[in-house]
Amino acid sequence: MTACTAALPRPSAAPWRGLFVLLLGGFVTIFDLFVVNVAIPDIQARLGAGLAQVGFIVAGYELAFGMLLITGGRLGDRFGRRRLFVAGMGAFTLASALCGLAPDTAALIGARVLQGLAAALLFPQVYASIRVHFDGDDGRRAFGLLGMALGLAAIAGQVLGGWLVHADLFGWGWRTIFLVNVPVGLCAMAAAARWVPESRTPRRPGLDGAGVALVSAGLALLLVALIEGPGRGWPAWSLAALGAAAVLLAAFVRQQERQRAAGREPLVDMRLFGQRRFALGAMLVLLVYSTSSSFFLCFALLVQSGFGRDPFAAGGLFAPCSVGFIAASLAAPRLTAR
């Protein structure tokens, strides 16, 4: 960590240096969402993981990430976005080390859940900090670069992850896809302390414990049912979980409206969904992430288990996608301005 900080300037450095650190934080969270895809066969071989356990290794991260994401944003508003970024990156680095050192499948699943919780603290600070510190054309360029970084992270998860597993450095196999996060995380923490300005909302918004409980429970039930239900033939408990999730999320919407009507700051201002552009944008993000995540996972498994390719060859097939991500991300700011 000292080596990382030796040549770093003080916080007065240009905000674009801080942007690089924020992009790195966003990169690692999405990277670890996809990197497991190409490592699944090696995890099965070395740990003896069954299909259901593999499902939880993949879904544990996503489940924890989705549950705490809204709360992570509120914590950054209240206690400081840089502070939460550094804390989240520290927790993410520790959880990554625990993943890489996991002695068995159960420990790996638990570490993946911790990794997802840490990512949920880290990731919202990236968006919020860019929104606060960049505006106008700079803001459009910054968000365009963020889109490019997140897209490349998904591709790098396949390509770099495949190479790491195939190279089998030090005989560690799949463990290297997690351990590589440790030096990256330590350097990002040091750089954030110097380059990313602190920010928080002028008022200290309440944490809204009732809202956090409702949305976390609702999302947990929804995601567990959607992840486990199809593979088990939609048993009764999965349908009940979907129904309970709908009730809890509806209660969350009502509770948030009551918060706003009472003059308190809600976790989510539901009036945003009445704005056509916001609603369409949110729907587009939902469609992109839900379909791309599923496709990348299924395709990586098909190429390895079905076509018999090694992890690096399987990951390399995703490399051409990076050209499209870069081109679209560079064009996005100009299209947004128009």
Side-chain angles (χ1 to χ4, degrees):
M1 194 166 183
T2 303
C4 294
T5 59
L8 295 181
R10 300 309 303 172
S12 59
W16 294 100
R17 292 178 176 176
L19 176 66
F20 172 79
V21 182
L22 295 171
L23 296 184
L24 184 59
F27 184 95
V28 297
T29 56
I30 300 302
F31 178 86
D32 270 70
L33 184 66
F34 290 95
V35 74
V36 177
N37 296 350
V38 291
I40 286 175
D42 195 55
I43 293 173
Q44 289 180 303
R46 294 180 186 244
L47 290 185
L51 190 59
Q53 291 173 314
V54 165
F56 277 108
I57 291 171
V58 175
Y61 181 89
E62 300 173 351
L63 178 62
F65 192 11
M67 280 177 54
L68 200 62
L69 196 59
I70 294 176
T71 306
R74 173 53 58 89
L75 289 172
D77 292 342
R78 180 177 174 85
F79 297 110
R81 299 181 182 102
R82 183 181 67 186
R83 180 179 298 177
L84 263 292
F85 181 92
V86 173
M89 182 62 80
F92 187 86
T93 303
L94 176 60
S96 297
L98 293 176
C99 287
L101 299 174
D104 53 40
T105 306
L108 179 57
I109 293 172
R112 283 286 284 172
V113 171
L114 292 176
Q115 198 182 33
L117 293 173
L121 293 179
L122 165 66
F123 195 72
Q125 318 319 322
V126 176
Y127 276 94
S129 296
I130 292 176
R131 177 176 52 80
V132 168
H133 298 304
F134 297 87
D135 54 21
D137 290 338
D138 285 346
R140 285 189 286 271
R141 282 194 291 270
F143 277 109
L145 290 172
L146 177 61
M148 182 169 64
L150 300 185
L152 290 177
I155 304 302
Q158 314 287 329
V159 179
L160 179 58
W163 179 80
L164 288 171
V165 175
H166 179 69
D168 195 17
L169 301 174
F170 310 108
W172 291 346
W174 61 267
R175 298 180 186 276
T176 55
I177 67 174
F178 297 113
L179 295 176
V180 72
N181 290 332
V182 175
V184 173
L186 293 176
C187 286
M189 291 166 62
R194 297 211 173 206
W195 287 350
V196 178
E198 183 61 282
S199 65
R200 58 172 57 88
T201 55
R203 297 181 301 165
R204 289 175 62 86
L207 293 180
D208 188 9
V212 169
L214 285 171
V215 73
S216 297
L219 288 175
L221 289 171
L222 175 65
L223 294 174
V224 166
L226 292 177
I227 291 167
E228 291 297 309
R232 298 176 182 270
W234 292 107
W237 68 261
S238 64
L239 299 177
L242 285 176
V247 171
L248 288 172
L249 292 176
F252 171 70
V253 172
R254 291 176 60 86
Q255 188 263 351
Q256 292 296 287
E257 283 297 287
R258 288 197 299 268
Q259 285 281 101
R260 184 182 62 81
R264 295 185 290 269
E265 191 169 353
L267 290 172
V268 180
D269 190 342
M270 296 300 168
R271 292 176 299 178
L272 288 171
F273 292 96
Q275 299 178 15
R276 183 173 178 272
R277 291 183 178 179
F278 180 88
L280 290 176
M283 180 60 68
L284 179 61
V285 171
L286 172 64
L287 292 174
V288 167
Y289 276 99
S290 61
T291 53
S292 63
S293 300
S294 303
F295 170 74
F296 282 11
L297 172 61
C298 294
F299 191 73
L301 291 177
L302 170 66
V303 172
Q304 291 183 81
S305 301
F307 297 161
R309 300 292 184 180
D310 61 63
F312 184 45
L317 291 175
F318 290 91
C321 294
S322 61
V323 177
F325 274 113
I326 293 174
S329 298
L330 292 176
R334 292 191 296 272
L335 294 174
T336 301
R338 290 180 61 184

